[in-house]
């Protein structure tokens, strides 16, 4: 007796398994295992279920709409409050600076950047499902908003004439009217983006972000980083250029910058370059020593304070004509309604901005949710950002999402919940109410340099391309195409072009899927591609085709082509050639040149003209030669006594492996039905194996089954089908199945009809034509 009371004995071989079970066709398996009938609820039942109300359901809906009710009662004050305060203060300082900097991208006065860093935080605190996101401006989204603003309110619309002391007229720009109009456009666009996001959330279509694949987002954000860099370059150089929009706008901007490079302000250039260098070096230190530094060094804040002090002390504006912030309004503006009349001009851009802003925010949120083991509700995030942008748009803000660097600061400094966001909003509030005046001497080139320094992470995505190329060339092409298109066409058209290109690659991959003929691994129930393995063996007289893709109208031709390549012949051509041979044999028998007996066809002794020209074989006069009724056998794989090259059919069974087929459309069902009947006419039985249950349901709905095509051609696995075929072949009648019985009517004035499946031909022709119309 072994230890623990177990009886000693030989251990089972866990490296092998042996299964003994019946051969399962679909009907046999359903009958034995009592398949359940799934009844779809009626529309009335669905409406009743959706409209039913209970205390529990109301509470669940309220908690899903207000996630704060879920996490705030569980807030650990002693453990989390100090960390949230430290994180909130650090994030608030960064948010203040980034709000000012990103306002440059939107082409609105800098003070409105502070509003955009404040108001969205208030609503997301109650509605958001992420505990670590810091909501506010983001350079890519800000640039997309800025492109709309500059397109609708360019400088050319605000020219005024002014006369100087010499009496000469001079064209000036009415900056006050221009800035006021741009603020209205930006806030109206923000309001419209919020409405679109709210609609998406209400309709539960958060899944739309799935179509923005990682390669597409990577290429788009890299192109956006390049666009941001060019837009901030002219501010660092303090070079005035026209505001270009649309196709090739970035090229025109670069050309004009280099044409006016001689007007560069040296003070702004030096300040900008020093800021970029210092910020990037310190950020690198923060990354490399993040495990040793408890709180990341807020280098942007430090640089801003130092640069403001130097600009104020040296009076850089008057002495060196440096571009400075000048004025930051103190306090808040009253809420204003959106300019609804502008909606029609910006709806297309608003749609793309809404999707991009949501995609960026949810992507970042999922990273931190996975890291800290909680979940994100995509539809609720749409609602949260929608309400945040509607609310912010009323207070003259521009579109909010999340900034990677700001969120990273909030999480790395110990932020646990959205309490840190509220504290950071308090820091921004202080800047709006009290500290804005102190930042007025700050050079704009320093803010632009801060923006450029924060683009490092997006520019580093370029190094993903070689890795993507090695892993998946299609994904690499999506990245490159989206990036180039976004640079050349602009961000809105570039995103659309990248999305269309990405979907096109999916269509191409589905339209030309992988397929192959399968063979059996001897002694197992495994089936592998015969081209990949030397030891696999195809069952005698059986061909197995695996088609690894959904089957629909776009890849029907691919299915037919792969079928012909696998079996080695065209079933329709074989059928037509056999009919032609039979007509020739009939004609020769009637002329007495061949003799038909029960044992087959023999030479009658007369001159055999079977190999004469067969141009007029279908002449009705020739087919009326009277004969007597006999029954003959034709071995189609032997040499025929007529001049017709009938392709050999070396198989008696064909198996489709549908393990990789997730769905069929109507065209695919019709095509499969035609294939089954085409092969039946040449004595090849078609089977389908490894199918999913929804395939049977779809076939039933589309009328696939009839008196001739039944469910018993479906098997649970390929091996079930092979064993069934072998069993049938062993018990088949002695008569060779490849013989075809033909009745030749003698003493009949009617021609012999060898096309008894004429109705099937008509049906196949009609279905083929219908398929062509649907696929075209």
């Amino acid at each position: 007796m072994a230890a623990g009371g177990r009886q000693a004995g030989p251990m089972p071989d866990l490296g092998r398994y042996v299964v003994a079970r019946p051969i399962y066709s679909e009907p046999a398996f359903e009958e034995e295992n009592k398949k359940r009938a799934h009844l779809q609820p009626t529309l009335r039942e669905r409406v009743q279920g959706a409209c039913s109300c209970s205390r529990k359901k109301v509470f669940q809906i309220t908690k899903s709409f207000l996630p704060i009710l879920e996490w705030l009662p569980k807030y650990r004050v002693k453990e989390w409050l100090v960390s949230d305060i430290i994180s909130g203060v650090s994030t608030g300082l960064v948010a203040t600076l980034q709000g000012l900097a990103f306002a440059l991208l939107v082409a609105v006065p800098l003070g409105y950047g502070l509003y955009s860093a404040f108001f969205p935080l208030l609503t997301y605190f109650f509605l958001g499902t992420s505990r670590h996101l810091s909501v506010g401006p983001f350079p890519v989204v800000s640039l997309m908003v800025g492109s709309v603003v500059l397109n609708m309110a360019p400088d050319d619309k605000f020219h005024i004439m002014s006369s100087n002391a010499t009496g000469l007229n001079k064209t000036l720009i009415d900056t006050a009217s221009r800035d006021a109009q741009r603020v209205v456009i930006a806030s109206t666009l923000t309001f419209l983006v919020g409405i679109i996001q709210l609609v998406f959330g209400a309709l539960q279509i958060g899944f739309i972000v799935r179509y923005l694949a990682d390669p597409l987002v990577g290429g788009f954000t890299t192109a956006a980083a390049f666009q941001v860099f060019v837009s901030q370059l002219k501010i660092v150089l303090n070079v005035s250029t026209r505001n270009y929009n649309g196709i090739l706008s970035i090229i025109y901007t670069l050309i004009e910058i280099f044409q006016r490079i001689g007007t560069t302000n040296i003070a702004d250039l030096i300040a900008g370059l020093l800021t970029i260098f210092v910020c990037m070096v310190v950020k690198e230190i923060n990354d490399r020593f993040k495990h040793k530094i408890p709180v990341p060094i807020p280098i942007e804040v430090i640089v801003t304070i130092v640069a403001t002090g130097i600009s104020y002390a040296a009076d850089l504006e008057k002495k060196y004509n440096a571009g400075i912030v000048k004025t930051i309004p103190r306090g808040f503006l009253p809420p204003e309604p959106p300019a609804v009349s502008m909606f029609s001009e910006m709806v297309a851009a608003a749609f793309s901005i809404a999707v991009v802003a949501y995609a960026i925010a949810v992507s970042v949120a999922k990273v931190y949710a996975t890291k800290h083991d909680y979940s994100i509700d995509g539809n609720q995030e749409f609602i949260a950002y929608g309400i945040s942008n509607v609310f912010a748009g009323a207070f003259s803000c521009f579109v909010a999402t999340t900034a990677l660097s700001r969120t990273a600061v909030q999480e790395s400094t110990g932020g646990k919940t959205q309490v840190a966001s509220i504290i950071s909003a308090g820091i921004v509030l202080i800047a709006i109410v009290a500290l804005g005046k102190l930042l007025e001497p700050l050079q704009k080139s320093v803010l632009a340099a801060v923006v450029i320094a924060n683009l490092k992470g997006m520019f580093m995505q370029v190094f993903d391309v070689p890795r993507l190329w090695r892993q998946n060339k299609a994904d690499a092409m999506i990245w490159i195409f989206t990036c180039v298109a976004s640079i050349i066409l602009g961000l809105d058209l570039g995103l659309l072009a990248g999305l269309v290109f990405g979907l096109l690659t999916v269509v191409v991959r589905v339209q030309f899927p992988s397929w192959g003929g399968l063979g059996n691994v001897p002694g197992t129930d495994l089936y592998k591609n015969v081209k990949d393995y030397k030891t696999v063996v195809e069952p005698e007289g059986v061909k197995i085709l695996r088609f690894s893709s959904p089957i629909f109208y776009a890849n029907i031709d691919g299915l037919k082509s792969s079928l012909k390549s696998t079996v080695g012949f065209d079933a329709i051509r074989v059928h037509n050639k056999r009919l032609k041979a039979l007509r020739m044999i009939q004609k020769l028998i009637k002329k007495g040149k061949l003799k038909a007996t029960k044992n087959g066809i023999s030479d009658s002794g007369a001159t055999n003209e079977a190999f004469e020209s067969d141009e007029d074989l279908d002449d009705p006069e020739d087919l009326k030669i009277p004969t007597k009724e006999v029954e003959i056998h034709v071995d189609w794989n032997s040499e025929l006594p007529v001049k017709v090259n009938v392709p050999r059919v070396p198989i008696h069974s064909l198996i489709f492996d549908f393990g990789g087929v997730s769905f069929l459309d109507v065209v695919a069902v019709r095509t499969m039905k035609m294939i089954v009947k085409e092969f039946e006419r040449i004595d090849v039985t078609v089977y389908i194996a490894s199918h999913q249950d929804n395939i049977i349901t779809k076939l039933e709905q589309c009328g696939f089954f009839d008196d001739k095509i039944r469910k018993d051609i479906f098997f649970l696995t390929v091996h079930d089908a092979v064993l069934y075929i072998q069993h049938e072949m062993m018990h088949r009648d002695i008569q060779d199945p490849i013989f075809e019985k033909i009745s030749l009517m003698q003493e009949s004035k009617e021609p012999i009809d060898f096309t008894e499946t004429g109705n099937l031909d008509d049906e196949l022709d009609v279905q083929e034509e219908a398929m062509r119309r649907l696929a075209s």
Side-chain angles (χ1 to χ4, degrees):
M1 184 71 66
R6 291 181 300 177
Q7 186 175 359
M11 293 292 293
D13 185 359
L14 299 180
R16 300 177 65 86
Y17 70 90
V18 178
V19 177
R21 64 170 178 81
I23 297 174
Y24 281 126
S25 64
E26 182 67 25
F29 185 81
E30 290 180 2
E31 181 180 357
E32 182 174 328
N33 293 275
K34 297 179 173 43
K35 183 178 180 180
R36 296 175 179 175
H38 295 282
L39 299 177
Q40 294 292 334
T42 62
L43 179 61
R44 180 179 180 181
E45 292 172 342
R46 293 178 181 177
V47 172
Q48 287 178 343
C51 297
S52 63
C53 184
S54 64
R55 178 181 298 179
K56 183 178 179 181
K57 189 172 183 179
V58 170
F59 186 66
Q60 288 177 343
I61 294 175
T62 304
K63 284 177 65 177
S64 64
F65 182 71
L66 293 171
I68 189 175
L69 299 178
E70 179 70 29
W71 61 263
L72 190 59
K74 302 175 184 178
Y75 188 81
R76 304 174 189 174
V77 178
K78 294 182 179 180
E79 298 179 32
W80 293 350
L81 184 58
V82 175
S83 298
D84 280 340
I85 291 174
I86 296 173
S87 175
V89 172
S90 302
T91 307
L93 294 173
V94 176
T96 300
L97 181 60
Q98 290 188 351
L100 294 170
F102 296 157
L104 295 173
L105 300 173
V106 186
V108 296
L110 302 185
Y112 294 92
L114 295 178
Y115 301 153
S116 302
F118 173 74
F119 284 105
L121 290 169
L122 303 181
T123 47
Y124 191 84
F125 175 77
F126 296 96
L127 301 172
T129 59
S130 174
R131 302 174 192 172
H132 296 90
L133 284 190
S134 177
V135 179
F138 181 64
V140 173
V141 176
S142 299
L143 186 66
M144 296 179 72
V145 175
S147 66
V148 177
V149 170
L150 292 175
N151 186 50
M152 296 181 64
D155 291 340
D156 297 341
K157 286 187 176 182
F158 300 95
H159 285 164
I160 57 175
M161 302 300 295
S162 175
S163 58
N164 53 21
T166 61
L168 297 176
N169 291 331
K170 186 178 180 181
T171 302
L172 300 176
I173 297 176
D174 186 355
T175 55
S177 300
R178 180 198 66 185
D179 291 345
Q181 181 69 6
R182 288 179 175 179
V183 169
V184 171
I185 294 171
S187 60
T188 301
L189 178 61
T190 302
F191 192 91
L192 182 57
V193 167
I195 291 176
I196 293 173
Q197 290 176 329
L198 263 177
V199 170
F200 284 170
L203 296 178
Q204 303 285 296
I205 54 176
F207 65 86
I208 193 172
V209 73
R210 298 174 189 168
Y211 293 98
L212 299 179
D214 289 345
L216 186 146
V217 173
F220 175 76
T221 52
T222 303
F226 187 68
Q227 296 261 22
V228 171
F229 173 78
V230 173
S231 69
Q232 299 306 289
L233 179 61
K234 62 183 181 181
I235 298 175
V236 171
L237 300 174
N238 197 0
V239 173
S240 61
T241 64
R242 293 178 58 190
N243 294 316
Y244 296 96
N245 285 291
I247 299 174
L248 298 178
S249 60
I250 192 170
I251 308 299
Y252 297 140
T253 303
L254 280 173
I255 292 173
E256 189 169 357
I257 287 175
F258 285 110
Q259 286 175 344
R260 301 189 179 188
I261 196 76
T263 63
T264 299
N265 187 289
I266 301 301
D268 284 332
L269 176 61
I270 293 174
L273 292 178
L274 286 175
T275 301
I276 293 173
F277 176 77
V278 172
C279 286
M280 294 186 71
V281 169
V282 176
K283 283 178 175 292
E284 187 67 23
I285 293 174
N286 285 338
D287 289 340
R288 292 196 177 187
F289 300 98
K290 58 185 177 182
H291 299 296
K292 297 182 179 180
I293 303 176
V295 177
I297 301 172
I299 187 59
E300 294 100 333
V301 177
I302 296 173
V303 167
T304 302
I305 295 173
V306 172
T308 303
I310 294 174
S311 177
Y312 177 77
D315 199 6
L316 295 179
E317 181 191 15
K318 291 184 179 179
K319 292 182 179 179
Y320 301 99
N321 197 27
I324 63 172
V325 174
K326 288 187 178 179
T327 57
I328 295 180
R330 181 178 297 180
F332 295 99
L333 298 175
E336 295 286 342
V340 180
S341 59
M342 297 181 179
F343 280 1
S344 60
E345 300 179 60
M346 58 178 63
V347 63
F351 182 87
S352 60
I353 292 171
V355 174
V356 171
Y358 171 78
I360 293 171
V362 171
S363 299
V364 177
K366 287 183 176 180
V367 170
Y368 290 104
T370 302
K371 182 177 180 180
H372 295 278
D373 194 24
Y374 63 92
S375 60
I376 296 294
D377 185 343
N379 291 312
Q380 178 60 27
E381 286 295 296
F382 249 139
I383 294 174
Y385 280 102
I387 293 178
S388 296
N389 282 315
V390 168
F391 178 66
F395 287 92
S396 304
C397 302
F398 48 87
V399 178
T401 177
T402 184
L404 305 181
S405 58
R406 197 167 57 245
T407 300
V409 169
Q410 179 164 316
E411 191 269 344
S412 62
T413 52
K416 304 296 182 183
T417 64
Q418 283 297 321
V419 171
S421 294
I422 285 295
I423 294 172
S424 69
I427 300 299
V428 178
L429 176 63
I430 295 173
I432 294 173
V433 175
L435 301 181
K437 189 75 174 177
L438 300 178
L439 295 174
E440 290 181 354
L442 178 64
Q443 290 172 270
K444 289 184 178 179
S445 64
V446 173
L447 291 175
V450 169
V451 173
I452 292 174
N454 279 282
L455 300 177
K456 176 189 172 184
M458 286 186 279
F459 278 127
M460 294 299 289
Q461 294 178 120
V462 173
F463 295 101
D464 292 341
V465 177
R467 176 182 56 83
L468 282 174
W469 187 262
R470 291 191 300 269
Q471 295 175 349
N472 191 316
K473 289 181 174 56
D475 288 341
M477 291 300 298
I478 292 173
W479 196 105
I480 295 171
F481 181 88
T482 305
C483 183
V484 173
S486 298
I487 290 174
I488 295 177
L489 304 177
L491 295 181
D492 48 356
L493 292 178
L495 176 64
L496 178 61
L499 182 60
V500 171
F501 183 79
L503 294 177
L504 183 62
T505 61
V506 174
V507 172
V508 170
R509 281 182 276 187
V510 173
Q511 189 169 353
F512 302 101
S514 62
W515 60 271
L518 304 185
N520 177 247
V521 179
T524 72
D525 61 348
L526 303 178
Y527 289 82
K528 291 292 184 180
N529 196 315
V530 293
K531 294 182 180 179
D532 295 336
Y533 297 91
K534 295 180 180 179
T535 59
V536 298
V537 179
E538 290 185 298
E540 184 179 357
V542 180
K543 289 289 185 180
I544 307 170
L545 172 62
R546 172 179 289 165
F547 195 77
S548 302
S549 168
I551 304 177
F552 62 111
Y553 64 92
N555 62 8
I556 286 296
D557 289 338
L559 174 66
K560 293 180 177 179
S561 176
S562 62
L563 177 58
K564 291 177 184 178
S565 299
T566 301
V567 299
F569 57 83
D570 184 340
I572 295 178
R573 182 171 180 270
V574 170
H575 177 68
N576 292 336
K577 287 290 186 179
R578 288 185 178 183
L579 288 181
K580 186 175 182 180
L582 291 175
R583 291 191 183 100
M584 293 180 68
I585 293 171
Q586 176 193 7
K587 179 180 179 181
L588 294 173
I589 291 176
K590 289 180 179 180
K591 290 182 177 181
K593 297 173 183 178
L594 287 178
K595 185 180 294 183
T597 67
K598 292 184 177 181
N599 296 322
I601 303 172
S602 62
D603 197 339
S604 63
T607 304
N608 187 356
E609 299 176 0
F611 293 95
E612 295 177 353
S613 174
D614 57 354
E615 293 179 358
D616 301 319
L617 288 177
D618 294 332
D619 188 352
E621 297 299 326
D622 292 337
L623 295 179
K624 292 181 180 180
I625 300 173
T627 59
K628 68 176 183 178
E629 182 179 2
V630 296
E631 188 178 67
I632 65 171
H633 303 293
V634 178
D635 183 354
W636 294 111
N637 287 331
S638 64
E639 185 177 352
L640 299 177
V642 291
K643 184 188 176 183
V644 179
N645 183 21
V646 180
R648 303 287 179 90
V649 179
I651 63 172
H652 51 73
S653 301
L654 170 64
I655 302 175
F656 283 97
D657 182 354
F658 269 20
V661 178
S662 58
F663 72 86
L664 302 169
D665 70 351
V666 175
V667 178
V669 174
R670 291 175 179 172
T671 302
M672 286 302 302
K673 189 169 186 177
M674 286 191 291
I675 289 173
V676 172
K677 292 189 175 183
E678 286 168 1
F679 276 85
E680 280 184 349
R681 295 188 304 183
I682 59 172
D683 299 320
V684 176
T685 307
V686 178
Y687 301 91
I688 297 175
S690 302
H691 54 278
Q692 302 178 27
D693 290 341
N694 66 298
I695 298 295
I696 295 289
T697 304
K698 175 59 66 176
L699 293 174
E700 291 175 338
Q701 293 172 349
C702 295
F704 178 80
F705 300 105
D706 53 27
D707 294 338
K708 294 183 179 180
I709 305 178
R710 298 186 299 273
K711 280 188 180 181
D712 54 10
I713 67 171
F714 287 80
F715 289 84
L716 295 192
T717 68
V718 173
H719 199 55
D720 282 303
V722 171
L723 293 178
Y724 173 82
I725 293 169
Q726 292 175 345
H727 180 269
E728 289 295 303
M729 294 303 297
M730 289 177 60
H731 294 81
R732 180 168 289 192
D733 295 336
I734 298 175
Q735 183 180 348
D736 193 332
I738 64 174
F739 287 163
E740 183 166 321
K741 296 182 178 180
I742 303 135
S743 295
L744 301 178
M745 303 299 296
Q746 289 200 38
E747 300 175 358
S748 172
K749 296 182 180 180
E750 296 297 327
I752 302 172
D753 186 9
F754 290 106
T755 58
E756 296 180 358
T757 56
N759 293 334
L760 175 59
D761 290 330
D762 295 339
E763 178 185 352
L764 294 177
D765 291 340
V766 171
Q767 292 179 349
E768 185 76 19
E769 180 62 28
M771 186 190 70
R772 291 196 193 98
R773 290 198 302 269
L774 288 171
S776 61

